Amino acid sequence: MEDRLQMDNGLIPQKIVSVHLKDSTLKELQDQVSNKQVQALQPSPEPSPEAEPMQDIMEHAGQGDSKAPREVCSLSRRGSVSGRGPAADGEPGQGSVEHHQLHLSSCHECLELENSTIESVRFASAENIPDLPYDHSSTLGGAGEFFPEREGRRVNISGKAPNILLYVGSSCQEALGRLQQVQSVLADCVDTDSYVLYHLQEDSALRDPWPDNCLLLVIATREPVPEGLYQKFMAYLAQGGKVLGLSSSFRFGGFQVTSKGMLQNTVQNLVFSKADQSKVQLSVLSSGYVYYEDPGEQPSPGMLQGHLQNGDKDRMIVQVPFGTRGGEAVLCQVHLELPPSSPIVQTQEDFNLLKSSNMRRHEVLKEILTTLGLSCDTQQVPTLTPLHLLPATDEIRNSFMQWLERHVDPEGVIKSSKLSLKFISSCTSEVEITPSSIPVVTDSETFSSEHFNLEIYRQNLQSTRLGKVILFAEVTPTTMSLLDGLMFEMPQEMGLIAIAIRQTQGKGRGPNAWLSPVGCALSTVLVSIPLRSQLGQRIPFVQHLMSLAVVEAVRSIPEYEDINLRVKWPNDIYYGDLMKIGGVLVNSTLMGETFYILIGCGFNVANSNPTICINDLITEYNKQHKTGLKPLRADFLIARAVTVLEKLIDTFQDQGPNGVLPLYYKYWLHSGQQVRLGSAEGPQVSIVGLDDSGFLQVHQKDCEVVTVHPDGNSFDMLRNLILPKHR
């Protein structure tokens, strides 16, 4: 507390109370103090030296939208509530309140931190307050200077608060929408646990001393910056400040901005030169303006540059140093802040081009932010969480618990070659969780999750066997290993499924990793297939059935039939033929006369970045067809996919491949597709379909039809190649 708070009258902070106020409550409080002298976010009157505080309270009050309150910092010094104690100026203290400013290092609207006052507050403390863990967030950007304090504590004396300020012009609805877009893309690029994003409004920018606690100023408005504010921004640069201009009119240093109407809101090819001189090529949305050098000036641009691949090589990104104290700006006239789903992206073709470059858009933005002194390092690996045992029905729960009692050891543990599961009724913070030892909480009554709704899953799971017993984790290494110790002993009617919100070690085919951000549907389902059955004789079909189940789970929803999800041989889910949206991984073990198969599946539902997700397709479909389809949930789609998978397996067992291939061919990408085998110079073949075992059949002119096995080959969609896999 000592290192983070400063009061303008030297009082010692003793207690922090965090209060979330609804709009109605806030209004009542404002009405109560309307006749008193309260000035939130304004310097307070000088404190009376005679005043003796009885209780110090720091209040965090919300202003405006109760869902996203702004931080307000204030300190109240109260007189005696009974009216008998002394108050300021010797007057009776009943109900009197004297307000003093309290400053938080993370609040950009507070006044400049005064080091001497920090020191006086620190050494005025008579209490032995325990040391808190060192807070690295106050040293980001390399601006801090440290020295050792007593008892080994280190204090950041000159470092700025980790504030990124966003100026989007006047407070109209369009500007607020732009603010949300800029906040969203920056949150994807920097660690929001290390930086705080604030809206810098015009009146605050003119009035408050924000430059002293600003690591980066982002200007994202086409409106001309008012003269007084422009001078403030330039003064900030002169002090060594950093500026990022996103499709704004702000410019300086000999660079001018001119309009090129033909480029406005069009998708263009950009060549971006990074600081190490390597280049990134990507599709971008142009603002319709370009930079040019004033003939009367000789600017000294920095290393970062971006120009269009057109005849004029129009300059779209420039890095401009300023002053002698390290000030600099990176100015952009391409919409790096806008997602491909932005309303100004008019055509499906433009959406496809921008989505294909979405990862490179983030790469360019991260390079710019890093050059401007921010850290864009990958966020820390999330902490592993316990598993929760969640039954789809009460009957299944009772059966499973009876089975469990017979199979756990005296410590409640079931071990496999990969990990140990310890079944416990509840989990405390003291229970250790490692990749090889994970607790399983069996009491489902206390379960709750922000990202997984058990009731939604139950309502949409219409299977008779699969997915009935859930092992759920918020964060786990990989769902593929969670069922290892249970898969061979459990009765088939207790269909096991492992579901996670995030994975720290997600698996793909071969050596490939699978990124697992929040919003991705991640699961592994256990399926038992008799060896001497239609599917048992054609196990490669299992991966096709799972891919097909995911696509059908979406496209069988009324009104969602035209969402362009496809299956790609051998085990991928695609958006059209453009971008991968999910994948399937199958591990099978033959024990006696039964295949025990773990089907791992991950597909993007609500995570637009770094590539594309199903809800992106729904948003784009709504825009193109003037419809109002709602976004989908991962728990909803996992339940539907498992239901469809069971139906496909049953159909296959009854009718063989011909029972499912018509639906598979309806959604697959490859009908009549021309590809080359082995290399770009290899023989050209036409894809025919799947053979009786689920392998790909291709036909070469004047030759017979041949089979391509998925385990030895991969399909490069971008180059229309079937390549031998490198091991």
Side-chain angles (χ1 to χ4, degrees):
M1 192 184 296
E2 288 177 315
D3 290 346
R4 299 295 298 275
L5 304 180
Q6 171 198 358
M7 288 163 280
D8 58 7
N9 55 6
L11 287 177
I12 305 165
Q14 294 179 343
K15 184 178 181 182
I16 295 178
V17 180
S18 178
V19 182
H20 184 82
L21 298 181
K22 297 182 179 179
D23 286 342
S24 57
T25 308
L26 181 60
K27 188 174 187 306
E28 289 179 16
L29 292 177
Q30 289 173 333
D31 291 339
Q32 290 176 17
V33 299
S34 59
N35 297 324
K36 299 174 183 177
Q37 296 179 350
V38 178
Q39 298 179 349
L41 296 179
Q42 295 290 338
S44 302
E46 288 296 318
S48 171
E50 294 83 17
E52 296 182 7
M54 293 186 63
Q55 183 181 14
D56 295 340
I57 299 176
M58 189 187 81
E59 299 171 340
H60 258 183
Q63 290 185 341
D65 186 354
S66 63
K67 295 181 181 178
R70 286 178 56 194
E71 289 185 352
V72 178
C73 305
S74 63
L75 179 75
S76 300
R77 298 178 62 199
R78 301 183 183 274
S80 169
V81 294
S82 65
R84 293 190 298 246
D89 300 324
E91 295 296 323
Q94 183 171 2
S96 63
V97 178
E98 185 178 344
H99 288 267
H100 292 281
Q101 193 71 16
L102 174 76
H103 305 304
L104 282 177
S105 64
S106 60
C107 180
H108 78 279
E109 293 179 326
C110 292
L111 299 177
E112 179 181 8
L113 297 180
E114 299 174 10
N115 296 332
S116 60
T117 308
I118 297 177
E119 292 298 293
S120 68
V121 171
R122 178 179 298 111
F123 290 107
S125 175
E127 299 182 20
N128 183 20
I129 299 175
D131 283 348
L132 298 176
Y134 178 63
D135 181 8
H136 291 276
S137 66
S138 62
T139 71
L140 294 161
E145 180 181 336
F146 304 93
F147 64 84
E149 257 298 345
R150 69 178 188 273
E151 298 179 1
R153 181 184 301 174
R154 296 204 305 165
V155 182
N156 178 5
I157 292 301
S158 60
K160 290 184 177 180
N163 297 336
I164 301 173
L165 306 188
L166 314 177
Y167 175 74
V168 293
S170 58
S171 297
C172 60
Q173 197 62 40
E174 179 187 352
L176 296 178
R178 189 162 54 248
L179 173 68
Q180 292 179 344
Q181 291 165 341
V182 175
Q183 286 176 324
S184 176
V185 74
L186 291 179
D188 286 335
C189 293
V190 301
D191 185 354
T192 51
D193 289 335
S194 301
Y195 300 98
V196 188
L197 306 176
Y198 286 113
H199 180 197
L200 181 63
Q201 300 188 52
E202 186 173 325
D203 56 348
S204 178
L206 290 169
R207 180 190 68 232
D208 298 329
W210 56 266
D212 299 313
N213 285 297
C214 175
L215 285 180
L216 176 68
L217 170 64
V218 180
I219 305 174
T221 175
R222 192 75 252 161
E223 303 170 8
V225 178
E227 180 61 26
L229 194 53
Y230 180 84
Q231 295 302 327
K232 278 262 191 179
F233 291 169
M234 294 307 296
Y236 167 69
L237 276 168
Q239 296 171 15
K242 310 292 183 180
V243 171
L244 171 59
L246 294 172
S247 303
S248 78
S249 59
F250 180 77
R251 47 88 187 148
F252 65 94
F255 281 100
Q256 301 294 328
V257 180
T258 187
S259 172
K260 265 199 169 182
M262 66 184 71
L263 297 178
Q264 186 172 6
N265 297 342
T266 61
V267 175
Q268 302 290 330
N269 293 324
L270 179 78
V271 178
F272 176 74
S273 298
K274 300 169 77 170
D276 62 4
Q277 297 303 296
S278 62
K279 298 186 184 303
V280 179
Q281 296 188 23
L282 67 158
S283 297
V284 292
L285 188 63
S286 171
S287 70
Y289 293 83
V290 301
Y291 293 108
Y292 70 95
E293 298 175 14
D294 191 329
E297 300 278 352
Q298 291 186 343
S300 302
M303 302 295 288
L304 301 186
Q305 300 286 326
H307 66 81
L308 297 184
Q309 282 185 305
N310 59 9
D312 295 333
K313 291 191 173 182
D314 292 313
R315 270 193 195 184
M316 308 302 284
I317 300 177
V318 293
Q319 179 184 357
V320 192
F322 184 81
T324 59
R325 302 181 63 181
E328 63 179 331
V330 176
L331 308 177
C332 310
Q333 288 302 334
V334 291
H335 287 293
L336 295 178
E337 77 281 9
L338 295 183
S341 56
S342 169
I344 67 174
V345 179
Q346 296 298 319
T347 68
Q348 188 81 43
E349 181 183 2
D350 285 349
F351 171 80
N352 294 343
L353 288 170
L354 293 173
K355 260 299 179 184
S356 297
S357 289
N358 203 38
M359 191 176 293
R360 279 165 283 167
R361 175 174 72 102
H362 283 77
E363 179 185 351
V364 168
L365 194 49
K366 286 181 179 181
E367 176 73 11
I368 291 171
L369 292 169
T370 301
T371 298
L372 291 172
L374 272 68
S375 171
C376 294
D377 293 339
T378 304
Q379 297 185 17
Q380 290 184 343
V381 176
T383 303
L384 298 179
T385 62
L387 292 171
H388 291 267
L389 176 65
L390 306 174
T393 64
D394 291 337
E395 294 77 14
I396 285 291
R397 173 182 170 78
N398 295 334
S399 298
F400 180 81
M401 294 305 293
Q402 292 172 9
W403 175 89
L404 191 62
E405 289 177 4
R406 300 193 301 269
H407 288 81
V408 295
D409 67 15
E411 301 296 323
V413 174
I414 291 180
K415 294 183 179 179
S416 72
S417 60
K418 295 183 179 178
L419 59 82
S420 298
L421 299 179
K422 183 172 183 178
F423 291 83
I424 55 179
S425 60
S426 61
C427 186
T428 63
S429 58
E430 288 77 25
V431 176
E432 184 180 18
I433 307 173
T434 70
S436 60
S437 179
I438 303 177
V440 184
V441 179
T442 58
D443 182 6
S444 60
E445 297 297 323
T446 60
F447 170 77
S448 66
S449 169
E450 178 185 355
H451 305 289
F452 182 80
N453 187 307
L454 181 57
E455 285 307 310
I456 289 177
Y457 178 87
R458 285 173 170 170
Q459 291 165 12
N460 290 279
L461 184 72
Q462 304 298 319
S463 63
T464 58
R465 304 179 306 279
L466 301 186
K468 293 291 187 178
V469 176
I470 308 156
L471 290 182
F472 172 83
E474 293 285 346
V475 182
T476 200
T478 169
T479 59
M480 287 295 286
S481 63
L482 296 180
L483 307 184
D484 266 11
L486 308 173
M487 59 188 291
F488 300 121
E489 302 291 338
M490 282 194 61
Q492 291 188 31
E493 63 271 14
M494 297 184 196
L496 271 175
I497 185 171
I499 298 175
I501 301 304
R502 297 189 68 179
Q503 296 179 133
T504 60
Q505 301 169 19
K507 303 289 186 182
R509 288 181 75 204
N512 296 335
W514 177 260
L515 296 178
S516 308
V518 173
C520 185
L522 305 166
S523 65
T524 295
V525 62
L526 172 63
V527 178
S528 300
I529 304 293
L531 171 63
R532 302 187 187 281
S533 65
Q534 293 266 27
L535 187 54
Q537 296 295 300
R538 301 170 179 85
I539 286 299
F541 263 103
V542 170
Q543 60 191 331
H544 308 325
L545 297 185
M546 187 70 245
S547 301
L548 178 58
V550 172
V551 173
E552 177 71 358
V554 175
R555 299 189 66 165
S556 61
I557 303 171
E559 300 185 58
Y560 290 75
E561 297 90 347
D562 295 326
I563 300 301
N564 195 14
L565 283 181
R566 301 280 177 175
V567 290
K568 168 187 167 290
W569 179 87
N571 57 351
D572 288 334
I573 300 121
Y574 257 60
Y575 161 47
D577 61 354
L578 295 171
M579 281 167 276
K580 182 173 179 176
I581 214 163
V584 174
L585 181 64
V586 175
N587 288 342
S588 60
T589 303
L590 180 62
M591 296 277 288
E593 292 288 307
T594 303
F595 276 108
Y596 295 90
I597 303 174
L598 294 176
I599 308 174
C601 184
F603 55 97
N604 300 335
V605 178
N607 49 309
S608 293
N609 297 311
T611 53
I612 194 170
C613 68
I614 289 171
N615 285 343
D616 284 339
L617 307 187
I618 294 171
T619 299
E620 186 63 19
Y621 183 86
N622 286 337
K623 188 167 66 175
Q624 297 297 329
H625 296 85
K626 312 301 181 189
T627 53
L629 302 183
K630 294 181 179 180
L632 301 176
R633 292 176 55 100
D635 41 22
F636 168 81
L637 287 181
I638 291 173
R640 286 184 61 86
V642 171
T643 302
V644 175
L645 175 64
E646 184 176 278
K647 292 179 180 177
L648 291 172
I649 290 175
D650 290 346
T651 301
F652 197 103
Q653 296 290 44
D654 290 340
Q655 304 174 32
N658 291 335
V660 299
L661 281 177
L663 184 62
Y664 185 80
Y665 290 145
K666 175 183 176 181
Y667 294 135
W668 89 324
L669 294 174
H670 310 299
S671 297
Q673 188 175 359
Q674 300 283 318
V675 299
R676 291 191 178 273
L677 297 180
S679 69
E681 291 75 36
Q684 188 176 59
V685 298
S686 299
I687 294 179
V688 176
L690 301 185
D691 69 8
D692 193 55
S693 297
F695 300 138
L696 193 68
Q697 289 185 311
V698 297
H699 178 259
Q700 186 176 354
K701 189 176 181 181
D702 300 327
C703 295
E704 62 182 9
V705 173
V706 296
T707 293
V708 181
H709 288 232
D711 288 341
N713 299 275
S714 62
F715 201 149
D716 187 333
M717 287 289 299
L718 296 179
R719 296 185 291 164
N720 278 348
L721 294 177
I722 296 179
L723 300 169
K725 289 187 73 67
H726 298 287
R727 298 186 183 277

